[in-house]
């Protein structure tokens, strides 16, 4: 199972100014965590509570439906295009980047086992869209449109472009086979379009928000279509869930990390750095940043009081960022808590060959596995952060496979939910993105938004700041 090492927040490791007495700190939070975890799991089936993501790892029916559909399209397509944004895109992308070959799209069809290449459109950028269409062939492309609300402008506009592009070369019957829509069961324009057109659909379940939806069809369908073992994802979640539902803080690592993150946030360390030492986990950093930022950055608390809470997540990747951000991490303001991700058994290794034998200063590399260098760099960077008295924790994954990767993401979801409760905010809403959305509607000429055009253009001061 995924492991958590929190020793480097202790006074012994980072000194009395920045370190804590772990047992004493956990003693203070013990009762609060027991309430939070008990309530979280008690409400996992509650209508309107947005906690049903806690059930996704157990949904065998969903996994079967997805696998059955994946079977029907297997080997039919060269390319899978996924249209979505935010929580409807980042999780699927993180999954595929972590679990497939790092250069999957460059592999031959044979080496991909007949599974398609994958492409995400998560921006309204003509360069990205046209660039992708330049390399695709409508007859061998499957498009998965993902939007829970079914109304998101970015996703719907990309869908409209892709649909027209497909229609130019395909009959309506062929088009039907090339579209698979993931959206709400009843609500939204995409659901209406699916009903009218008779397209294949998968549901984003009720009470599962975008950034907590990775283990619904939102993430599982693209994963299964590219050959990822989704049963292993669910198996990983189930194993971990048995531990995370524990209301005793000393036995619940996700609760422990939530406590440390929020404790340090309140102790003038508002920045949370997430730094996996793995190329394949780089996209998981992006997923984490959205999860943490959109869940915890809130103006009001649960009592309606204006609080402007929220730790700022920072994405980093080891070892690359050692030559970028680590200077700041070590010597800049001591305003961060670090989460390192360590992988103990890399799938691949490569030995640095005997080269340049006449250069004494390169001999220490000769004949060494590259994973040893990665491990040494991880340990030394962590040691330097610790020596500089910066609190840090390490999550350890045995391997980057479906089982452990699912555990990493699920751990972070539960940690985020608990952190939200510790901050007394709602981690499952996102009112702060609404204003920009309605301004966009106004600027794009959507009916009913005319009165907001001047505000959106900045020529009229909004009522909120007058
Ligand atoms: O986490 C969230 O809720 C958001 O990031 C949404 O996923 C994002 O706004 C996309 O929404 P939708 O799936 O409705 O298109």
């Amino acid at each position: 199972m995924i492991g958590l090492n929190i020793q480097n927040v202790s006074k012994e490791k980072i000194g009395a100014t920045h370190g804590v007495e772990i047992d004493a700190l956990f003693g203070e939070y013990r009762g609060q965590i027991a309430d939070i975890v008990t309530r979280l799991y008690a409400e996992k089936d509650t209508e309107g509570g947005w906690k049903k993501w806690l059930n996704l790892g157990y949904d065998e029916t969903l996994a079967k439906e997805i696998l059955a559909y994946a079977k029907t399209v297997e080997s039919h397509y060269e390319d899978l295009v996924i249209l979505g944004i935010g929580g409807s895109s980042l999780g699927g992308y993180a999954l595929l980047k972590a679990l497939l070959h790092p250069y999957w799209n460059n592999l031959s069809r044979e080496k991909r086992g007949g599974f398609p290449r994958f492409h995400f459109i998560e921006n309204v950028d003509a360069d990205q869209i046209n660039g992708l269409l330049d390399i695709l062939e409508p007859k061998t492309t499957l498009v998965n449109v993902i939007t829970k609300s079914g109304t998101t402008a970015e996703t719907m506009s990309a869908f409209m472009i892709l649909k027209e592009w497909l229609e130019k070369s395909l009959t309506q019957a062929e088009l039907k086979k090339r579209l698979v829509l993931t959206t709400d069961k009843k609500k939204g324009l995409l659901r209406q379009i699916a009903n009218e057109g008779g397209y294949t659909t998968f549901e984003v379940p009720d009470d599962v928000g975008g950034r907590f939806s990775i283990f619904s069809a939102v993430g599982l369908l693209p994963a299964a279509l590219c050959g990822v073992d989704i049963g292993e994802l669910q198996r990983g979640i189930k194993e971990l869930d048995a531990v995370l539902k524990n209301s005793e803080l000393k036995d619940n690592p996700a609760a422990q990390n939530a406590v440390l993150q929020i404790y340090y946030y309140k102790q003038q360390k508002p920045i949370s750095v997430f730094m996996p030492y793995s190329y394949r986990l780089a996209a998981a950093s992006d997923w984490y940043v959205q999860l943490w930022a959109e869940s915890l950055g809130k103006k009001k608390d649960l009592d309606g009081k204006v609080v402007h809470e929220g730790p700022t997540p920072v994405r980093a990747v080891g070892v690359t960022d050692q030559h970028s951000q680590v200077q700041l991490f070590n010597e800049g303001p001591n305003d961060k808590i670090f989460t390192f991700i360590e992988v103990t058994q890399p799938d691949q290794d490569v030995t640095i060959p005997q080269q340049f034998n006449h250069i004494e200063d390169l001999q220490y590399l000769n004949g060494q596995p590259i994973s040893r260098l990665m491990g040494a760099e991880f340990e030394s960077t962590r040691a330097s952060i610790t020596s500089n008295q910066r609190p840090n924790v390490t999550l350890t994954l045995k391997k980057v496979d479906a089982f452990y990767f699912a555990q990493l993401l699920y751990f972070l979801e539960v940690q985020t939910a608990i952190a939200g409760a510790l901050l007394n905010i709602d981690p499952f809403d996102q009112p702060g993105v609404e204003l920009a959305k309605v301004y966009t509607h106004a600027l794009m000429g959507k009916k009913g938004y005319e009165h907001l055009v001047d505000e959106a253009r900045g020529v009229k001061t909004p009522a909120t700041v007058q």
Side-chain angles (χ1 to χ4, degrees):
M1 204 184 61
I2 188 169
L4 174 72
N5 178 343
I6 57 172
Q7 284 316 303
N8 291 342
V9 302
S10 67
K11 284 188 172 166
E12 294 74 41
K13 297 282 184 178
I14 60 170
T17 310
H18 301 281
V20 294
E21 298 277 6
I22 296 174
D23 288 345
L25 181 74
F26 284 178
E28 282 168 35
Y29 277 92
R30 188 170 169 248
Q32 199 182 350
I33 287 296
D35 287 348
I36 289 172
V37 175
T38 306
R39 210 172 341 114
L40 180 67
Y41 278 87
E43 291 173 359
K44 72 185 174 55
D45 298 311
T46 306
E47 300 295 322
W50 295 95
K51 298 184 185 82
K52 291 192 179 172
W53 52 273
L54 285 160
N55 298 315
L56 295 173
Y58 300 88
D59 195 340
E60 285 171 20
T61 312
L62 172 68
K64 275 194 197 132
E65 275 171 22
I66 287 175
L67 287 172
Y69 172 75
K71 197 87 199 136
T72 64
V73 297
E74 202 174 285
S75 309
H76 286 53
Y77 298 102
E78 285 297 323
D79 293 280
L80 168 67
V81 178
I82 297 118
L83 309 179
I85 195 163
S88 287
S89 150
L90 287 158
Y93 187 71
L95 259 176
L96 296 183
K97 290 302 282 182
L99 301 178
L100 299 180
H101 186 286
Y103 296 95
W104 178 259
N105 285 354
N106 298 91
L107 295 178
S108 66
R109 182 187 168 84
E110 197 191 352
K111 287 198 172 156
R112 284 185 271 114
F115 293 107
R117 293 179 282 256
F118 68 87
H119 316 273
F120 282 75
I121 291 187
E122 75 310 294
N123 204 340
V124 284
D125 186 307
D127 286 330
Q128 187 188 27
I129 298 170
N130 286 335
L132 180 60
L133 296 185
D134 278 346
I135 62 163
L136 296 180
E137 173 54 51
K139 290 200 182 308
T140 54
T141 298
L142 179 67
V143 179
N144 180 200
V145 188
I146 310 176
T147 162
K148 177 173 173 66
S149 62
T151 56
T152 303
E154 295 87 342
T155 308
M156 293 309 283
S157 55
F159 176 34
M160 287 150 93
I161 295 166
L162 266 283
K163 181 166 174 280
E164 189 199 53
W165 175 78
L166 289 168
E167 277 167 343
K168 281 184 185 157
S169 319
L170 304 173
T171 65
Q172 283 301 311
E174 286 172 328
L175 174 76
K176 247 188 186 177
K177 288 192 193 152
R178 275 157 189 82
L179 289 174
V180 50
L181 313 181
T182 307
T183 191
D184 189 86
K185 184 162 62 194
K186 291 197 192 120
K187 292 193 294 277
L189 303 177
L190 193 65
R191 175 53 65 186
Q192 181 190 332
I193 291 166
N195 291 343
E196 287 168 1
Y199 300 118
T200 304
T201 59
F202 283 88
E203 283 170 20
V204 187
D206 291 343
D207 289 311
V208 175
R211 55 196 177 275
F212 290 85
S213 68
I214 180 168
F215 298 115
S216 72
V218 170
L220 294 190
L221 180 61
L225 290 171
C226 290
V228 169
D229 185 344
I230 61 174
E232 272 301 282
L233 292 169
Q234 292 193 327
R235 213 167 64 75
I237 295 170
K238 279 186 278 199
E239 185 195 73
L240 181 64
D241 200 41
V243 176
L244 301 193
K245 59 170 62 136
N246 203 320
S247 62
E248 186 57 62
L249 180 55
K250 72 174 173 31
D251 300 322
N252 186 329
Q256 291 177 4
N257 207 23
V259 164
L260 293 173
Q261 295 283 334
I262 298 309
Y263 169 79
Y264 277 111
Y265 164 70
K266 291 187 170 163
Q267 298 294 317
Q268 278 81 47
K269 299 197 197 306
I271 298 172
S272 168
V273 177
F274 188 81
M275 191 166 182
Y277 272 73
S278 161
Y279 175 74
R280 285 164 56 197
L281 294 181
S285 289
D286 293 322
W287 175 86
Y288 167 78
V289 163
Q290 191 232 1
L291 178 73
W292 202 241
E294 210 167 86
S295 302
L296 302 183
K298 297 291 151 73
K299 177 175 169 179
K300 292 189 180 164
D301 70 9
L302 291 173
D303 308 314
K305 200 168 120 216
V306 174
V307 286
H308 292 294
E309 290 287 15
T312 299
V314 167
R315 168 199 198 274
V317 178
V319 304
T320 316
D321 272 291
Q322 289 175 195
H323 296 262
S324 169
Q325 301 190 81
V326 167
Q327 168 63 32
L328 171 78
F329 293 168
N330 267 324
E331 294 191 352
N334 194 340
D335 57 358
K336 304 171 189 68
I337 169 160
F338 296 85
T339 302
F340 294 111
I341 315 296
E342 175 196 27
V343 180
T344 51
Q345 280 181 22
D347 282 343
Q348 305 262 346
D349 216 336
V350 51
T351 303
I352 306 165
Q354 297 280 337
Q355 288 278 332
F356 310 114
N357 288 335
H358 60 294
I359 303 178
E360 182 56 35
D361 273 358
L362 284 176
Q363 295 314 299
Y364 73 103
L365 295 173
N366 274 353
Q368 301 260 27
I370 200 100
S371 62
R372 182 146 184 237
L373 182 58
M374 170 78 100
E377 294 206 30
F378 159 61
E379 272 184 44
S380 48
T381 299
R382 182 173 60 174
S384 71
I385 296 274
T386 308
S387 305
N388 282 309
Q389 303 185 357
R390 277 113 217 266
N392 62 85
V393 302
T394 302
L395 281 167
T396 303
L397 266 69
K398 194 164 155 203
K399 298 173 78 166
V400 182
D401 62 8
F403 184 84
Y404 291 107
F405 185 67
Q407 292 199 344
L408 173 66
L409 268 44
Y410 189 69
F411 183 102
L412 295 167
E413 287 183 333
V414 174
Q415 173 188 308
T416 304
I418 296 172
L422 287 168
L423 288 173
N424 192 36
I425 52 93
D426 181 354
F428 306 113
D429 67 0
Q430 52 283 325
V433 297
E434 282 310 311
L435 188 58
K437 265 195 209 167
V438 297
Y439 281 169
T440 304
H441 289 159
L443 293 179
M444 291 298 287
K446 190 169 174 181
K447 224 168 139 198
Y449 292 80
E450 300 80 359
H451 62 292
L452 288 170
V453 171
D454 284 347
E455 233 178 87
R457 282 207 188 107
V459 295
K460 183 179 157 203
T461 311
T464 46
V465 290
Q466 275 165 3

